[in-house]
């Protein structure tokens, strides 16, 4: 009698596999094939050969050097802060974590533009802080890229270290003290080993994120002649002379490098993870800062100034200037830039509208598709589940630029000519959907896993058929995950730079490409007005949803 | 007969969760399945509910065949029409109390006099007026009462209870247990109650079934199971036991015949001239308020006896037992 149900379940799995194959797997495989096949023959070392013959070795070295340095610098920045807010009286200042969401949520290309406007000739430094001008040569070099990326990425590793620190219960430390361990001895023998696994996770995440990041290298790196994987892949696939062989070779090496890092991370994580099981927790142990307190606060202030203050100061002031470079003088003030963005028919307004409608479409498709995949994953077992699980999260593991090159190869292939998706605006929506699908899948999956199976059993015993259970029990309970997935996809689609640049058909701009091109062409104020508008818009969406959740919670209480 | 289980068995992977089992429950009877975790009691309950499918055998509820491997019949859980109460309450967090209780009626499209019937069920568990609350706004005991109301609102003939009280604290548990029993009696329900707590089982049931490793060891009224345990395991699991050495070695060594007596049957004074006497050394003394529980060593066995006055630790004392109170366990081959 269960034949129908079994058939239904299997057909769902089959549909999931087919969708993922078309959207993610085949494009990625095409990147690999394209770079490993030379003259229709598979050659194991083909991408490496292409890189060596094409003088691209420097790009590889540059990328790795940048990633390693950023990991080190973010660690040096984040570890003391994590200790301060996790283990000392600064823990009471909860607002620090909230403030650190700002660099976290600022697209790297926008933050980098803020920094460039701050440091470049006739910028903020020249007008108000001429002494800092001495740092200009240092900023417009490798170290500037490292600094901007580090201040953008350090909240990741900060949160990871802090969360592991918080898990260490007071009794573990108290036991160390009772048995004669001094503060430094306890740090070395108890805290650091317990934090280690969390830290390596965070460090490798930063490593991969730096390798895959396009925004900062594209804005600052290209200006100072520091080329990395992402900027070169972009050049070979989008700018004349186009060279797909080199582009895909670089993409393959980037893909393989990131995969290796993930693999190492898995290995390390499984070997060095301790589950910290304790009895009852007698509260957290906080160290008293005493006379060091002002120094600690100065450190927090410095971090906030460098990660939020500097970029936003330049962006905000630039966006209300008539002519950039004349400073904030009377007569140079204007809201004209914003007005232009909201005047129908202007280039800016069209770009903003494109971003909004395409992101809306992508978020909606991703929400339904991601929910479907998450439900199929939870309800299936074995190898098929593994396959669907891994491939639906693939766009989060693989550097985004690799996925995008794959999408170009697949949708622009000669045998796709009859399907006119490529070179239309719809291709952008498709790209956003594929790139950000993992968010919905993860949120809904996490949501689903929290639901005790007895809630479904209770419904079944009460006489509900599977369709009724889905509608009345499953759907309402996973709705928060779906909404979170929708918001996340919507927000990051609006800001997505590399995908928009590479996929957009001629004549179609999005807010991100608009900002990028205005900045490139020196029309700074208009670009910055758009930057602030998108950041503001996405923040408003988030706040509204948070508020909505809160009011619902209070109604229920 | 309300419930008839014949030759039902269930294996999970390589684990025999339930060996071929037979069980009949009369209409209106309240029976408990007791045993340690992994004994198969919950598996049997879930097989009755239709949440698991047996490997073999027949299940009949209220004269309706629910499962039969022979005839290839398998009624899904949603069509069995039983009520069930879960250990973790399993209330749907996004629905009000009213909607939780009304669920079974709506799911079956049986919505005539819906409000009246939900109110009736909530009144039965003394929760009238709580209709608009959400589960998280209620205490554990109230939540469990809602889940009971949900189980009875469709007026089932059979109710299955899976450790319904184990998530609650001791004081609540006693009150709710009495309420459960009086409600099942009032509604004429046939109840199957799963618990690992032997006191709970003995106090609430008409009949108890002691299970171990997927097998039913003993099935009888509580007094029978307590006074005449059929297995060494039952004697130890239900109540406290003092084992008496027979001719062939101490009670700890394996033997086909065991003799035992319950602690409260011993007396510190001789009551009849044919009383048997035992002496032992006092090892520990616990004051229980109304009496002293004394652990003593008798011929190498650890015994529990009760004293009305505090004895001296380490003393050698003599206790007496009437020969008719000695129970012999004939366990067969196990």
């Amino acid at each position: 009698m269960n034949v129908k149900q079994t058939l239904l379940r299997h057909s769902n799995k089959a549909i999931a596999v087919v969708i993922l194959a078309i959207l993610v797997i085949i494009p990625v495989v095409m990147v690999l094939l394209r770079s490993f096949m030379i003259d229709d023959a598979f050659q194991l070392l083909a991408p490496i050969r292409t890189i060596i013959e094409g003088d691209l070795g420097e790009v590889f070295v540059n990328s790795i050097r940048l990633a390693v340095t950023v990991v080190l610098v973010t660690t040096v920045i984040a570890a003391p802060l994590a200790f301060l807010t996790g283990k000392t009286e600064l823990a009471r200042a909860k607002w620090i974590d909230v403030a650190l969401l700002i660099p976290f949520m600022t697209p790297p290309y926008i933050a980098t533009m803020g920094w460039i406007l701050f440091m470049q000739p006739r910028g903020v430094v020249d007008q108000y802080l001429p002494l800092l001008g001495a740092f200009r040569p240092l900023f417009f070099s490798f170290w500037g890229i490292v600094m901007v990326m580090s201040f953008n990425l350090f909240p990741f590793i900060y949160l990871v270290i802090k969360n592991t620190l918080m898990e260490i219960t007071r009794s573990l430390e108290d036991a160390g003290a009772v048995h004669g361990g001094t503060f430094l001895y306890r740090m070395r023998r108890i805290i650091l080993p317990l934090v280690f696994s969390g830290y390596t996770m965070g460090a490798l995440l930063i490593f991969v994120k730096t390798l895959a990041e396009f925004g900062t290298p594209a804005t600052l790196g290209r200006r100072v002649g520091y080329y990395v994987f992402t900027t070169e892949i972009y050049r070979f696939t989008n700018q004349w002379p186009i060279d797909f062989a080199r582009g895909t070779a670089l993409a393959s090496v980037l893909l393989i490098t990131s995969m290796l890092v993930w693999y190492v991370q898995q290995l390390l994580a499984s070997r060095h993870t301790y589950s910290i099981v304790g009895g009852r927790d007698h509260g957290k142990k906080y160290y008293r800062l005493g006379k060091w307190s002002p120094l600690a606060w100065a450190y927090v202030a410095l971090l906030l100034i460098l990660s939020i203050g500097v970029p936003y100061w330049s962006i905000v002031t630039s966006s209300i200037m008539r002519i950039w470079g004349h400073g904030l003088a009377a007569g140079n003030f204007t809201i004209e830039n914003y007005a232009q963005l909201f005047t129908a028919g202007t280039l800016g307004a069209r770009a903003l509208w494109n971003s909004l409608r395409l992101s809306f479409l992508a978020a909606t498709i991703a929400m339904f598709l991601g929910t479907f995949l998450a439900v199929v994953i939870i309800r299936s077992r074995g190898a098929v589940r593994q396959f669907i699980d891994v491939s639906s999260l693939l766009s989060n593991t693989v550097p985004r630029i690799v996925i995008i090159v794959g999408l170009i190869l697949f949708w622009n292939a000669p045998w796709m000519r009859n399907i006119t998706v490529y070179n239309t605006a719809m291709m952008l929506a498709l790209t956003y959907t594929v790139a950000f699908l993992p968010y919905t899948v993860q949120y809904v999956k996490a949501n689903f896993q929290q639901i005790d199976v007895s809630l479904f059993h209770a419904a079944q015993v009460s006489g509900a058929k599977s369709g009724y259970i889905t509608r009345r029990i499953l759907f309402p309970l996973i709705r928060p995950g779906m909404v979170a997935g929708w918001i996340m996809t919507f927000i990051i689609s609006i800001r997505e730079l590399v995908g928009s640049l590479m996929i957009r058909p001629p004549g179609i701009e999005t807010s991100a490409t608009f900002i990028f091109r205005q900045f490139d062409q020196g029309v700074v104020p208009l670009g910055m007005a758009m930057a602030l508008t998108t950041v503001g818009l996405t923040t408003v969406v988030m706040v509204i949803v948070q508020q909505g959740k809160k009011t619902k919670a209070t109604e229920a209480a | 007969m309300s419930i008839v289980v014949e030759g039902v068995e269930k294996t999970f992977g390589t684990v025999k969760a339930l060996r071929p089992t037979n069980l009949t429950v009369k209409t209106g009877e309240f029976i408990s399945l007791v045993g340690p975790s992994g004994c198969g009691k919950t598996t049997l309950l879930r097989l009755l509910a239709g949440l698991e499918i047996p490997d073999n055998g027949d299940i009949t509820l209220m004269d309706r065949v629910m499962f039969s491997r022979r005839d290839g019949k398998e009624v899904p859980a949603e069509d069995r029409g039983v009520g069930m109460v879960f250990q973790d309450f399993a209330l749907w967090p996004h629905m009000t109390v009213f909607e939780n209780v009304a669920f079974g009626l709506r799911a079956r499209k049986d919505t005539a006099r819906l409000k009246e019937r939900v109110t009736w069920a909530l009144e039965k568990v003394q929760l009238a007026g709580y209709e608009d609350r959400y589960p998280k706004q209620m205490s554990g005991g109230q939540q469990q009462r809602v889940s009971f109301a949900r189980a009875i609102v469709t007026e089932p003939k059979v109710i299955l209870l899976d450790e319904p009280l184990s998530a609650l604290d001791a004081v609540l548990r006693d009150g709710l247990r009495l309420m459960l029993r009086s409600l099942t009696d009032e509604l004429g329900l046939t109840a199957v109650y799963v618990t690992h707590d032997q006191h709970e089982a003995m106090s609430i049931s008409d009949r108890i079934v002691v299970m171990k490793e997927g097998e039913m060891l003993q099935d009888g009224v509580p007094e029978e199971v307590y006074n005449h345990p059929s297995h060494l395991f039952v004697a130890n699991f239900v109540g406290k036991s003092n084992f008496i050495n027979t001719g062939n070695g101490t009670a700890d060594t394996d033997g086909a015949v065991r003799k035992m007596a319950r602690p409260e049957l011993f007396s510190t004074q001789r009551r009849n001239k044919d009383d048997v006497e035992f002496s032992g050394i006092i090892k520990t003394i616990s004051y229980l308020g109304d009496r002293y529980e004394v652990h003593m060593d008798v011929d190498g066995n650890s015994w529990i006896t009760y004293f009305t006055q505090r004895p001296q630790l380490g003393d050698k004392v003599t206790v007496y037992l009437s020969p008719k109170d000695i129970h012999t366990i004939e366990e067969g081959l196990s």
Side-chain angles (χ1 to χ4, degrees):
Chain A
M1 74 122 256
N2 268 330
V3 174
K4 214 172 104 190
Q5 271 184 2
T6 321
L7 214 69
L8 208 68
R9 198 168 299 162
H10 283 296
S11 68
N12 276 344
K13 274 196 253 181
I15 293 169
V17 169
V18 170
I19 291 177
L20 285 169
I22 293 174
L23 289 184
V24 190
I25 303 295
I26 296 177
V28 171
V29 170
M30 282 181 77
V31 174
L32 289 171
L33 279 184
R34 183 73 176 253
S35 63
F36 280 100
M37 302 291 273
I38 290 186
D39 304 329
D40 290 335
F42 182 85
Q43 296 187 13
L44 192 61
L45 296 175
I48 301 195
R49 231 177 67 196
T50 316
I51 283 175
I52 292 169
E53 283 169 5
D55 274 333
L56 297 170
E58 196 197 336
V59 172
F60 181 79
V61 175
N62 276 353
S63 304
I64 301 290
R65 182 164 153 244
L66 180 64
V68 170
T69 320
V70 168
V71 168
L72 292 177
V73 175
T74 47
T75 306
V76 171
I77 297 173
L81 185 66
F83 177 79
L84 287 175
T85 63
K87 289 276 157 194
T88 73
E89 64 229 39
L90 256 60
R92 256 172 274 141
K94 302 253 185 272
W95 60 267
I96 295 178
D97 285 9
V98 179
L100 286 179
L101 285 175
I102 298 173
F104 204 63
M105 293 301 296
T106 307
Y109 64 93
I110 293 181
T112 313
M113 290 171 187
W115 267 101
I116 294 174
L117 295 175
F118 188 78
M119 293 302 288
Q120 77 182 5
R122 293 192 298 144
V124 179
V125 160
D126 279 359
Q127 277 160 19
Y128 301 101
L129 308 157
L131 282 179
L132 291 178
F135 290 106
R136 184 171 300 138
L138 190 63
F139 178 80
F140 286 100
S141 77
F142 169 71
W143 295 104
I145 307 174
V146 168
M147 189 197 65
V148 174
M149 292 188 89
S150 299
F151 278 114
N152 207 256
L153 288 171
F154 86 92
F156 273 102
I157 204 157
Y158 159 76
L159 285 177
V160 170
I161 298 178
K162 185 180 168 179
N163 286 340
T164 9
L165 270 180
M166 305 279 273
E167 273 176 31
I168 301 173
T169 56
R170 180 171 180 167
S171 58
L172 289 177
E173 277 193 81
D174 286 349
V178 167
H179 294 101
T182 60
F183 171 75
L184 286 177
Y185 189 80
R186 295 202 304 272
M187 281 288 137
R188 186 161 62 81
R189 293 294 308 277
I190 299 170
I191 308 286
L192 288 183
L194 288 175
V195 168
F196 178 77
S197 102
Y199 169 72
T200 37
M201 293 281 219
L204 293 174
L205 185 72
I206 298 274
F207 186 88
V208 175
K209 272 189 161 302
T210 311
L211 275 188
E213 177 53 43
F214 173 78
T216 309
T219 36
L220 182 56
R222 291 201 303 173
R223 200 170 275 217
V224 302
Y226 195 84
Y227 301 107
V228 294
F229 277 132
T230 49
T231 50
E232 293 308 278
I233 294 170
Y234 172 65
R235 181 161 72 95
F236 286 127
T237 52
N238 274 260
Q239 286 173 337
W240 193 86
I242 283 176
D243 185 342
F244 262 96
R246 288 195 203 177
T248 54
L250 282 174
S252 288
V253 174
L254 174 58
L255 171 64
I256 292 163
T257 314
S258 335
M259 286 306 175
L260 275 176
V261 175
W262 285 126
Y263 178 71
V264 169
Q265 191 216 35
Q266 294 295 317
L267 221 62
L268 280 176
S270 62
R271 201 169 297 170
H272 290 283
T273 305
Y274 308 96
S275 57
I276 300 173
V277 265
R280 185 181 295 159
D281 187 7
H282 296 281
K284 299 273 178 290
K285 186 177 181 70
Y286 291 124
Y287 291 99
R288 302 193 59 81
L289 286 170
K291 63 181 165 136
W292 297 104
S293 179
L295 196 67
W297 280 110
Y299 185 68
V300 173
L302 183 72
L303 285 190
L304 294 180
I305 289 171
L306 291 177
S307 58
I308 305 168
V310 167
Y312 275 95
W313 171 249
S314 333
I315 295 167
V316 171
T317 51
S318 304
S319 74
I320 47 172
M321 284 178 195
R322 204 176 292 278
I323 301 164
W324 192 83
H326 284 200
L328 275 179
N332 197 26
F333 265 120
T334 180
I335 53 158
E336 172 61 26
N337 301 315
Y338 288 96
Q340 213 186 347
L341 292 182
F342 293 98
T343 307
T346 61
L347 193 62
R350 281 207 310 259
L352 194 57
W353 172 241
N354 277 336
S355 273
L356 288 176
R357 70 189 175 100
L358 294 173
S359 303
F360 188 91
L361 187 62
T364 310
I365 299 172
M367 180 178 75
F368 286 115
L369 184 55
T371 305
F372 168 71
L373 292 173
V375 172
V376 173
I377 290 167
I378 298 270
R379 289 206 170 148
S380 50
R381 295 275 166 273
V384 182
R385 175 193 174 129
Q386 203 76 7
F387 174 83
I388 301 173
D389 200 359
V390 169
S391 32
S392 62
L393 299 180
L394 199 64
S395 352
N396 241 7
T397 353
V398 171
R400 197 175 312 145
I401 197 163
V402 176
I403 297 274
I404 289 161
V405 172
L407 289 175
I408 295 174
L409 290 176
F410 180 74
W411 293 94
N412 196 27
W415 35 268
M416 289 291 280
R417 283 288 143 78
N418 291 327
I419 301 169
T420 47
V421 174
Y422 196 76
N423 259 335
T424 69
M426 284 310 111
M427 187 65 203
L428 280 170
L430 183 99
T431 306
Y432 301 151
T433 308
V434 173
F436 307 124
L437 185 63
Y439 289 101
T440 309
V441 175
Q442 268 171 327
Y443 294 155
V444 173
K445 227 170 69 180
N447 211 178
F448 200 157
Q449 273 159 346
Q450 285 169 359
I451 305 173
D452 197 292
V453 70
S454 66
L455 293 184
F456 301 113
H457 286 154
Q460 215 183 338
V461 173
S462 302
K465 309 264 181 221
S466 77
Y468 193 76
I469 296 178
T470 306
R471 191 157 52 83
R472 290 282 317 269
I473 312 284
L474 175 63
F475 181 69
L477 287 177
I478 59 175
R479 198 161 42 198
M482 295 172 68
V483 172
W486 190 93
I487 295 166
M488 197 63 186
T489 312
F490 181 70
I491 287 176
I492 48 183
S493 297
I494 288 186
R495 303 156 160 204
E496 171 59 8
L497 176 64
V498 65
S500 312
L501 272 180
M502 289 171 69
I503 295 288
R504 79 190 167 92
I508 291 206
E509 294 275 4
T510 70
S511 63
T513 63
F514 180 84
I515 296 166
F516 191 73
R517 280 155 51 101
Q518 297 299 318
F519 189 81
D520 239 19
Q521 292 161 10
V523 194
V524 172
L526 190 57
M528 291 304 102
M530 177 69 104
L532 216 57
T533 306
T534 45
V535 171
L537 205 70
T538 49
T539 313
V540 167
V541 170
M542 252 174 30
V543 170
I544 288 175
V545 172
Q546 287 297 325
Q547 268 335 96
K549 263 190 208 155
K550 260 187 214 147
T551 26
K552 222 177 154 190
T554 29
E555 269 168 24
Chain B
M1 284 303 145
S2 200
I3 300 174
V4 181
V5 170
E6 284 175 288
V8 166
E9 56 184 310
K10 179 72 183 173
T11 308
F12 293 111
T14 56
V15 182
K16 272 235 166 292
L18 192 68
R19 290 165 201 281
T21 293
N22 298 315
L23 178 73
T24 43
V25 186
K26 288 199 293 271
T27 305
E29 200 175 12
F30 195 116
I31 100 158
S32 286
L33 308 176
V34 275
S37 61
C39 73
K41 56 190 192 298
T42 299
T43 304
L44 179 52
L45 196 76
R46 292 168 64 85
L47 288 167
L48 290 175
L51 295 172
E52 304 284 354
I53 303 304
D55 300 334
N56 230 326
D58 298 308
I59 295 174
T60 311
L61 300 178
M62 305 305 299
D63 301 320
R64 190 170 153 220
V65 177
M66 293 296 177
F67 179 84
S68 173
R69 179 60 74 210
R70 253 196 332 261
D71 306 340
K73 190 163 167 66
E74 186 185 315
V75 178
E78 61 263 31
D79 296 334
R80 292 197 181 186
V82 299
M84 185 160 177
V85 179
F86 292 79
Q87 180 174 7
D88 57 358
F89 319 145
L91 296 180
W92 300 297
H94 59 297
M95 295 183 193
T96 59
V97 166
F98 184 92
E99 284 304 319
N100 263 286
V101 175
F103 186 91
L105 298 172
R106 291 200 201 276
R108 295 195 170 91
K109 302 203 168 59
D110 178 13
T111 50
R113 299 185 300 115
L114 180 82
K115 189 158 187 292
E116 196 181 316
R117 290 156 78 188
V118 172
T119 311
W120 168 82
L122 284 171
E123 271 165 7
K124 285 287 164 215
V125 297
Q126 289 152 29
L127 280 178
Y130 284 78
E131 284 84 352
D132 294 331
R133 300 232 187 159
Y134 282 89
K136 67 170 179 223
Q137 297 168 296
M138 308 182 87
S139 71
Q142 290 173 329
Q143 291 187 22
Q144 194 55 294
R145 272 145 67 195
V146 174
S147 104
F148 193 73
R150 179 176 69 185
I152 59 171
V153 75
T154 52
E155 295 171 63
K157 296 284 181 280
V158 172
I159 187 162
L160 308 172
L161 304 121
D162 184 8
E163 308 219 15
L165 305 181
S166 67
L168 303 172
D169 57 48
V171 183
L172 271 175
R173 217 167 359 202
D174 289 341
L176 215 49
R177 193 184 59 218
L178 296 174
M179 178 176 164
L180 273 184
R181 181 63 217 242
S182 63
L183 269 176
T184 50
D185 284 350
E186 183 191 331
L187 301 172
L189 293 171
T190 305
V192 183
Y193 188 94
V194 161
T195 178
H196 61 267
D197 183 337
Q198 38 117 354
H199 292 296
E200 210 171 272
M202 284 199 287
S203 57
I204 201 173
S205 324
D206 297 325
R207 222 171 97 200
I208 64 182
V209 175
V210 184
M211 298 182 69
K212 182 199 174 193
E213 289 166 9
E215 210 168 351
M216 291 188 174
L217 295 184
Q218 191 169 12
D219 174 352
V221 296
E223 293 82 353
E224 172 69 15
V225 173
Y226 184 79
N227 292 326
H228 302 113
S230 62
H231 292 68
L232 198 58
F233 175 83
V234 178
N236 275 319
F237 190 79
V238 179
K240 291 164 179 164
S241 311
N242 295 334
F243 290 101
I244 300 163
N245 287 349
T246 50
N248 27 6
T250 61
D252 292 342
T253 60
D254 274 322
V257 179
R258 300 281 160 70
K259 288 184 185 305
M260 51 89 59
R262 296 297 187 185
E264 66 278 7
L265 300 173
F266 290 84
S267 160
T268 46
Q269 273 131 36
R270 183 182 286 278
R271 289 162 299 188
N272 284 304
K273 63 177 187 310
D274 61 342
D275 277 0
V276 193
E277 57 173 82
F278 301 92
S279 14
I281 311 287
I282 293 180
K283 293 291 182 193
T284 66
I285 302 165
S286 322
Y287 181 49
L288 301 180
D290 55 341
R291 58 192 165 167
Y292 295 88
E293 185 183 273
V294 173
H295 281 251
M296 52 194 282
D297 181 83
V298 180
D299 299 338
N301 295 317
S302 180
W303 280 18
I304 294 168
T305 50
Y306 298 113
F307 282 62
T308 47
Q309 267 155 21
R310 184 183 280 274
Q312 196 67 39
L313 211 59
D315 271 7
K316 186 169 179 148
V317 293
T318 305
V319 290
Y320 302 89
L321 183 67
S322 166
K324 68 171 169 40
D325 290 335
I326 298 179
H327 171 62
T328 304
I329 299 170
E330 291 170 55
E331 202 168 314
L333 291 172
S334 73

